[in-house]
Amino acid sequence: MNNSPHYRTCNLCEAICGVEIVVEEFQRLTIRGDKDDPFSRGYICPKAVALQDIHYDKDRLKHPVRRTARGWQRIGWDEAFAEVEQNLKRIRSQHGRNSLATYLGNPTVHNYAALLFAPGFIRSLRTRNRFSATSVDQLAHHLASFMMFGHQLLLPVPDVDRTQFFLILGANPAVSNGSMMTAPGMARRLEEIRKRGGKVVLIDPRRNETARLASEHLFIRPGTDVLLLLALLHVVFAEGLTRPAPFTKGVETVAKVVAQFTPEKVAPITRIGADQIRRLAREFAAAESAVCYGRIGLSTQEFGGVCQWLINVLNIVTGNLDRPGGAMFALPAFDPLSAPESVAPRGSFARWHSRVRKLPEFGGELPVAALAEEILTEGPGQIKALVTLAGNPALSTPNGRVLDRALASLEFMVSIDFYINETTRHAHIILPPTNTLERGHYDLALHLLAVRNTTKYSQPLFKPGDDTRHDWEILAELQSRMSTNGAAGSLVRGVRNKFIKQFFGPERILDLGLRFGPHHLTLRKLKQAPHGIDLGPLTPCLPKRLRTADKSIDLAPEILVKDVERVRVRLLDDAAADSNGHLLLIGRRQLRSNNSWLHNSERMVKGKERCTMLMHPDDAADRDLMSGQNVLVRSRVGEIVLPVEVTEEMMRGVVSIPHGWGHDRSGNRLEVAQQHAGASINDLTDNQAIDALCGTAAFNGTPVTVIAHT
Ligand code: SF4
């Protein structure tokens, strides 16, 4: 046993905290925050200790398995690969290339080698039916960046450590530690804003954990943030408070667009007073530095695309883009923006559409809200086979029950995953990769979203078990098999696999990326700095870093400007904007939970029941409900039963349920999670409710009814 500390990055969420791990006896690890990590400075959240629970989890698969009538049967890698190849090729030749589909789950972003090797494998399938968690999460951010700055990965990040005015909409960074804004120890960073005389304003239908650290909190009716943003901009333009950068075009168009959205018009719909909107706009524009940030409550609603665009517009026209304390851009050591198009494409929009509902592709992917219908609707191009990588869409995408039924009907499904969960239980073959502690780690994607430039490589802590495979090896093998045929193909495959392993594996690609990156580092240098290397605060980089053809910011992309008409019709003119007596359902992030995949850790789920519905006391009184009582929640697509918690932290008329729960499906093999099953919010969310612009699931604001469960 080696007792010397091992340093690495926790890859469970976007915050990339540095951890110190000491291997103890009896399969126990001591996990602490790494005080010498230049970015997280010793901060970790309670989830970090669960790294060991995943590693030692007895439910974690280490060898391929095949589903049979008598249960799961262990098989060898060669047999598993051959069966996958044979089935995928058979289905492709019988039903065409679009009969194959892929789904990439969120953990892929936290795994640099999988990120590097997944695109090649997906290309080898030659299908347009590619899906991922992006369209139930951050797609709107990429869309706005692609259209305004010319690259889907040129994502503005709030410079929280220097800002004097932080306006947060639909987010809970004190719990998330900054999603689409990598910022470990966010609570401290928020406190520091106030300590230096700055202001933090939170606008959210729930007085959440961030509200406790904010200078001010305002409730807003779910789904109406777009009106608030339009009205803020209305005030900024009407009062002459604009000062955009010279390389910005389309300012007059935006001024015209926002002219009709007066604070008085939007106040009764948003439920934020006109005076408060005017005051907020003036304070924001007058602050020494200010930044507006909106996250999941805005990104996953009916007008998510327009919301993320308007957030950028507000930052830009008040002169707060690309300056300290405003919205800035990171410059990572491995810069995806300088990588070849095949590794980090600029982005694309509506090059093709889904077969059934005609939803647009973005970045080569279709919205996952369309996946179930693409499987269940017969006809040419119907999906017959699915490959999932580290995903659990049965719990994490809207109307999970219909997707569940769709997955059960597939002719063939293969999952690259080490759990038999609510999704992978439908797979015919599961190919389990190694665990994070058994492989090297580098945050290819998240340094791009970080509030400070740092870089770090983590060595594997444990040697992988005999006869195991890393994700990238599985993906490379499948890619080879899908790209070659017959005996000659098998020869080519052997040579290719050897070449990749010896000369062009993930470490080699990473090293090249670092060498040619803006900080001219090498993987060797990173390996010599186990705590990571500080590369300094974010620095102004525009217009040089813009990827638009004319090196200017497009403040008014036509597609987004046009979508404002949909906002007007739906929210200003249409009586349907009213909730018709329904309560509006929103999600909730929890500190000890990470989507659906930490619930098999006893220490993460123990204690008080956490899968509960929060409700305002007046709404509870109207229904004769008391805290702790079980309630039946019903939406257009389904119903669930769970306990209610009555609390003034909710806005009247709005209820909140956390996501990632609902482990009571038969056939999954997650013993601890099944004992703490909870109910899935996505049995209530509607796969027909989307942002019509880009197809992102509109989770927030699902109309529901609630009654006592007897
Ligand atoms: S916030 Fe928690 S889960 Fe996220 S990286 Fe840090 S320690 Fe890990």
Side-chain angles (χ1 to χ4, degrees):
M1 191 174 56
N2 179 3
N3 279 116
S4 53
H6 165 84
Y7 297 99
R8 68 183 300 108
T9 301
C10 171
N11 73 332
L12 292 176
C13 87
E14 289 176 60
I16 66 172
C17 301
V19 291
E20 179 192 276
I21 304 181
V22 177
V23 181
E24 313 278 4
E25 286 176 319
F26 310 118
Q27 295 200 335
R28 200 173 71 77
L29 308 180
T30 298
I31 301 177
R32 302 187 192 93
D34 176 7
K35 290 191 178 61
D36 295 320
D37 182 293
F39 191 30
S40 56
R41 297 188 270 156
Y43 172 83
I44 52 167
C45 85
K47 289 189 287 295
V49 290
L51 282 168
Q52 61 187 308
D53 300 336
I54 299 169
H55 182 74
Y56 293 120
D57 192 340
K58 63 180 175 43
D59 289 333
R60 179 162 73 89
L61 295 174
K62 299 192 177 88
H63 305 284
V65 288
R66 175 197 288 132
R67 183 158 54 85
T68 73
R70 293 181 309 285
W72 292 96
Q73 171 197 25
R74 179 176 166 176
I75 54 175
W77 284 99
D78 284 344
E79 192 181 350
F81 283 133
E83 200 163 319
V84 172
E85 176 189 356
Q86 187 218 328
N87 278 290
L88 293 181
K89 282 184 174 169
R90 175 182 57 78
I91 290 169
R92 185 167 66 184
S93 78
Q94 277 174 5
H95 303 286
R97 59 200 178 107
N98 291 330
S99 63
L100 308 184
T102 55
Y103 176 83
L104 266 55
N106 159 290
T108 314
V109 175
H110 306 262
N111 180 341
Y112 87 99
L115 266 185
L116 290 172
F117 281 79
F121 163 63
I122 294 170
R123 275 196 302 275
S124 76
L125 299 181
R126 306 199 307 273
T127 177
R128 288 184 160 183
N129 279 319
R130 308 171 201 155
F131 303 86
S132 82
T134 294
S135 51
V136 285
D137 194 336
Q138 81 288 0
L139 196 157
H141 299 249
H142 296 303
L143 182 77
S145 285
F146 172 61
M147 293 191 172
M148 301 177 78
F149 309 126
H151 201 296
Q152 60 174 335
L153 297 177
L154 192 52
L155 295 153
V157 181
D159 186 16
V160 282
D161 293 342
R162 289 179 291 186
T163 195
Q164 286 301 101
F165 195 107
F166 192 19
L167 176 59
I168 306 167
L169 290 94
N172 192 0
V175 166
S176 69
N177 281 293
S179 183
M180 294 303 277
M181 169 182 61
T182 290
M186 193 67 202
R188 174 183 52 77
R189 293 176 201 266
L190 291 173
E191 274 164 7
E192 283 171 3
I193 295 175
R194 295 183 63 188
K195 269 190 206 154
R196 61 178 176 261
K199 189 165 183 181
V200 179
V201 178
L202 172 73
I203 296 176
D204 196 280
R206 182 180 155 232
R207 194 177 298 124
N208 61 29
E209 291 81 350
T210 299
R212 288 164 211 155
L213 301 163
S215 325
E216 183 179 351
H217 166 251
L218 297 170
F219 285 124
I220 187 167
R221 189 165 170 272
T224 66
D225 312 75
V226 65
L227 291 180
L228 172 66
L229 288 163
L230 286 161
L232 289 172
L233 281 161
H234 171 95
V235 177
V236 167
F237 277 98
E239 299 190 3
L241 307 174
T242 56
R243 42 183 169 146
F247 45 84
T248 307
K249 61 183 190 192
V251 180
E252 303 76 25
T253 307
V254 173
K256 271 189 215 147
V257 166
V258 302
Q260 61 180 309
F261 294 92
T262 61
E264 287 70 21
K265 256 192 209 165
V266 311
I269 307 165
T270 58
R271 314 275 158 83
I272 299 179
D275 289 349
Q276 283 173 312
I277 295 173
R278 283 186 197 285
R279 175 182 55 83
L280 259 185
R282 288 170 190 149
E283 283 180 7
F284 189 90
E288 198 184 318
S289 61
V291 62
C292 179
Y293 160 81
R295 195 44 196 113
I296 204 83
L298 273 75
S299 314
T300 57
Q301 53 148 292
E302 221 179 319
F303 300 103
V306 179
C307 280
Q308 291 303 335
W309 163 54
L310 293 174
I311 284 175
N312 289 342
V313 171
L314 182 62
N315 289 328
I316 293 165
V317 299
T318 53
N320 282 299
L321 182 77
D322 198 38
R323 71 147 164 159
M328 302 194 76
F329 297 97
L331 192 63
F334 185 122
D335 183 16
L337 264 76
S338 314
E341 185 71 11
S342 59
V343 177
R346 262 186 75 225
S348 56
F349 181 57
R351 287 178 301 168
W352 65 83
H353 292 78
S354 66
R355 180 180 60 110
V356 179
R357 221 188 314 170
K358 310 291 175 227
L359 301 184
E361 67 83 33
F362 180 79
E365 292 180 353
L366 290 168
V368 71
L371 177 56
E373 70 210 23
E374 292 297 329
I375 296 172
L376 292 171
T377 310
E378 288 181 13
Q382 179 185 6
I383 294 172
K384 301 278 184 179
L386 175 69
V387 184
T388 69
L389 172 62
N392 194 356
L395 288 192
S396 57
T397 64
N399 199 350
R401 291 285 175 180
V402 77
L403 183 61
D404 221 3
R405 285 201 295 282
L407 297 178
S409 75
L410 284 165
E411 209 172 308
F412 185 69
M413 177 170 159
V414 54
S415 292
I416 302 169
D417 206 300
F418 48 63
Y419 280 131
I420 302 175
N421 61 27
E422 295 72 20
T423 295
T424 61
R425 70 192 172 120
H426 294 294
H428 296 84
I429 300 277
I430 302 181
L431 304 169
T434 51
N435 168 247
T436 181
L437 298 181
E438 297 166 329
R439 55 179 193 243
H441 176 75
Y442 183 83
D443 276 296
L444 211 54
L446 301 175
H447 286 302
L448 205 55
L449 300 170
V451 300
R452 188 174 179 87
N453 291 316
T454 62
T455 188
K456 178 169 168 178
Y457 178 79
S458 311
Q459 304 264 20
L461 171 59
F462 297 114
K463 198 172 153 310
D466 290 340
D467 200 27
T468 56
R469 302 281 191 282
H470 296 303
D471 322 57
W472 71 269
E473 291 174 306
I474 297 171
L475 290 162
E477 176 69 31
L478 291 177
Q479 180 184 351
S480 289
R481 285 176 180 264
M482 292 307 292
S483 320
T484 55
N485 280 313
S490 129
L491 203 68
V492 172
R493 195 163 69 228
V495 175
R496 184 181 180 277
N497 286 352
K498 226 179 210 166
F499 174 78
I500 288 176
K501 266 199 173 157
Q502 281 185 0
F503 305 110
F504 224 66
E507 284 209 357
R508 179 74 184 130
I509 301 173
L510 176 59
D511 183 53
L512 284 172
L514 292 167
R515 283 172 192 271
F516 290 104
H519 302 278
H520 306 296
L521 290 159
T522 62
L523 183 56
R524 195 159 157 214
K525 263 194 194 143
L526 261 59
K527 285 183 175 175
Q528 288 163 353
H531 304 288
I533 300 171
D534 186 22
L535 300 170
L538 308 184
T539 49
C541 61
L542 298 189
K544 196 173 161 217
R545 201 157 160 73
L546 289 172
R547 291 297 187 268
T548 47
D550 59 0
K551 287 278 175 201
S552 64
I553 295 170
D554 188 357
L555 200 66
E558 201 186 331
I559 290 167
L560 292 162
V561 169
K562 262 194 182 159
D563 210 35
V564 176
E565 179 57 13
R566 194 167 60 90
V567 176
R568 190 185 61 74
V569 172
R570 169 87 176 130
L571 293 179
L572 280 190
D573 300 350
D574 188 355
D578 195 12
S579 50
N580 289 328
H582 286 92
L583 293 161
L584 298 179
L585 174 65
I586 61 168
R588 175 161 106 243
R589 181 137 178 181
Q590 297 179 310
L591 193 58
R592 288 173 183 271
S593 184
N594 194 10
N595 302 325
S596 65
W597 50 286
L598 279 187
H599 297 155
N600 212 40
S601 158
E602 186 67 56
R603 74 181 100 208
M604 289 297 111
V605 292
K606 70 181 180 196
K608 202 175 142 219
E609 163 87 67
R610 290 210 311 278
C611 185
T612 60
M613 187 187 73
L614 305 183
M615 181 183 247
H616 188 275
D618 294 346
D619 291 324
D622 288 349
R623 292 162 181 78
D624 282 333
L625 299 175
M626 287 189 323
S627 271
Q629 190 175 350
N630 271 348
V631 290
L632 176 75
V633 190
R634 187 175 284 143
S635 72
R636 188 190 76 83
V637 304
E639 57 186 41
I640 60 173
V641 173
L642 78 172
V644 63
E645 264 187 84
V646 180
T647 166
E648 298 222 334
E649 72 186 50
M650 290 310 301
M651 183 179 188
R652 181 130 206 235
V654 184
V655 290
S656 167
I657 297 175
H659 71 281
W661 300 89
H663 304 290
D664 52 355
R665 272 63 161 174
S666 64
N668 67 9
R669 203 194 283 171
L670 298 163
E671 199 184 326
V672 175
Q674 278 188 326
Q675 288 161 14
H676 303 265
S680 175
I681 187 175
N682 288 323
D683 290 351
L684 298 170
T685 57
D686 192 338
N687 53 333
Q688 297 300 315
I690 54 167
D691 177 350
L693 175 69
C694 54
T696 299
F699 289 126
N700 290 295
T702 302
V704 293
T705 56
V706 179
I707 54 170
H709 180 63
T710 46

